[in-house]
Amino acid sequence: MAKIAKDYYLTEVDKLPNSIYCMHDFMGEDGIQPHQHVKDQLLYTEGGLVHVKVQDTTYFLPARHYMWIPAGLEHSIHPGSNAVTMRNLYFPKTQGNEVFSAQAGIFPVNELLLQMLIFTHQWDGDILPEREAAFGFVSALRLILPQLSQNRLLLMLPIPTDKRLAQIIQYMDEFMQEGVLLPQLAQKFGFSERSLSRLFKSDIRMSFVQYHTIQRMLKALQLLLDHQIEIKEVAALVGYNSIPTFSATFRKVLGASPSAYAKRKDGLNLKP
């Protein structure tokens, strides 16, 4: 786990309640300790995978995606590599679009939103309404987010509370390449298939198949981001013998094919 960075900017975000706060920063090897804001947060990252922990769930934020973090939601941020850059916008709470605003989620960034985020790179710190052009532009970005963010991706996994299940999930991750099946898993850890299936559903509210599918796709995503590996090798490393099956599952979970995602993995590559 990455070490936790000093919270040098966290108290600045909410000092001026009417401002939109803009921050671009390299994370290095550091993370951001558990905290929350009075403002809503848009977190966009470049250069690798970022883990965002919210209560008993870990979100996996890849490059060319953003995470919406509602006001008041405690979270911590942990980079997957020292090359990660954060682009943050913090918005005052406003009326309207409460359904979108109230729920954390990860969304792909299309070209329009990408260009708008690039444009915000010229600003840092508080943007007040008196700065009409800047404030109007960033306010417009916020207003169109619900329209541009129809595809909420399930890039998250719950953290088990049962120690037995935590051990099983760790085993699933370590031996993913070999192909993990429920009957063999139950036998190895002294469960019946039925009781192990129930444990998944009672503890993390997901079936074994649902959890393991997302677990495999997130591992594949990390391999695509962090290593120069061909798609057929990535598929094999997460336990798929069929590349078409792997690609179809990847597209269903991540909203794009492995090849299309690999082409855009580097994000903006801008200097802060």
Side-chain angles (χ1 to χ4, degrees):
M1 179 61 67
K3 63 182 179 180
I4 301 299
K6 294 181 180 179
D7 55 348
Y8 63 93
Y9 77 94
L10 299 179
T11 56
E12 302 300 313
V13 170
D14 295 319
K15 271 189 176 180
L16 302 178
N18 294 326
S19 77
I20 298 173
Y21 195 89
C22 182
M23 191 196 74
H24 310 276
D25 193 23
F26 279 113
M27 292 191 73
E29 297 181 351
D30 297 328
I32 305 299
Q33 65 187 358
H35 66 283
Q36 58 186 317
H37 300 289
V38 175
K39 295 175 180 175
D40 293 323
Q41 179 179 359
L42 183 157
L43 169 61
Y44 179 88
T45 63
E46 304 154 17
L49 192 68
V50 170
H51 304 86
V52 182
K53 291 191 175 182
V54 177
Q55 297 171 345
D56 59 353
T57 299
T58 296
Y59 289 81
F60 298 79
L61 177 62
R64 200 64 188 267
H65 292 71
Y66 81 88
M67 183 170 178
W68 181 260
I69 304 173
L73 184 65
E74 185 174 87
H75 61 282
S76 60
I77 304 172
H78 310 269
S81 76
N82 60 10
V84 171
T85 303
M86 295 191 300
R87 315 286 178 190
N88 289 282
L89 292 171
Y90 300 87
F91 300 96
K93 292 291 291 181
T94 58
Q95 298 297 318
N97 298 314
E98 285 85 359
V99 174
F100 171 82
S101 299
Q103 186 176 355
I106 291 176
F107 305 89
V109 170
N110 66 10
E111 280 303 316
L112 173 58
L113 185 53
L114 176 62
Q115 294 304 317
M116 295 182 80
L117 288 168
I118 291 173
F119 198 75
T120 68
H121 185 251
Q122 64 188 290
W123 301 309
D124 191 33
D126 291 296
I127 304 174
L128 291 163
E130 290 76 15
R131 299 169 61 186
E132 293 183 3
F135 191 86
F137 179 87
V138 186
S139 296
L141 186 156
R142 166 66 182 88
L143 286 172
I144 65 172
L145 279 180
Q147 185 177 350
L148 299 180
S149 306
Q150 300 293 319
N151 187 19
R152 187 186 301 268
L153 300 178
L154 297 176
L155 301 183
M156 57 185 181
L157 285 174
I159 300 171
T161 58
D162 189 292
K163 291 182 180 180
R164 299 169 300 169
L165 187 57
Q167 185 180 7
I168 290 169
I169 286 173
Q170 182 177 352
Y171 177 88
M172 290 163 58
D173 182 69
E174 292 177 359
F175 294 92
M176 191 179 294
Q177 184 176 357
E178 299 179 10
V180 179
L181 300 175
L182 183 64
Q184 289 80 2
L185 199 63
Q187 183 178 19
K188 178 175 179 60
F189 286 91
F191 288 85
S192 68
E193 289 184 47
R194 187 175 182 181
S195 61
L196 182 55
S197 180
R198 284 178 172 174
L199 180 59
F200 268 90
K201 291 180 179 178
S202 63
D203 189 35
I204 59 175
R205 297 182 180 85
M206 297 177 75
S207 70
F208 164 78
V209 172
Q210 288 172 325
Y211 186 95
H212 193 40
T213 298
I214 296 176
Q215 184 187 42
R216 295 162 90 183
M217 292 304 102
L218 292 174
K219 173 74 78 172
L221 176 62
Q222 191 161 11
L223 290 169
L224 283 172
L225 285 171
D226 295 343
H227 305 281
Q228 300 269 333
I229 300 179
E230 293 185 4
I231 291 171
K232 64 180 180 180
E233 186 177 353
V234 171
L237 288 171
V238 297
Y240 281 84
N241 296 320
S242 167
I243 295 178
T245 301
F246 165 71
S247 296
T249 307
F250 191 96
R251 181 187 292 274
K252 183 177 180 181
V253 174
L254 286 127
S257 68
S259 58
Y261 191 86
K263 291 177 183 177
R264 67 186 194 184
K265 66 181 178 180
D266 291 330
L268 301 182
N269 289 322
L270 295 176
K271 301 297 182 183

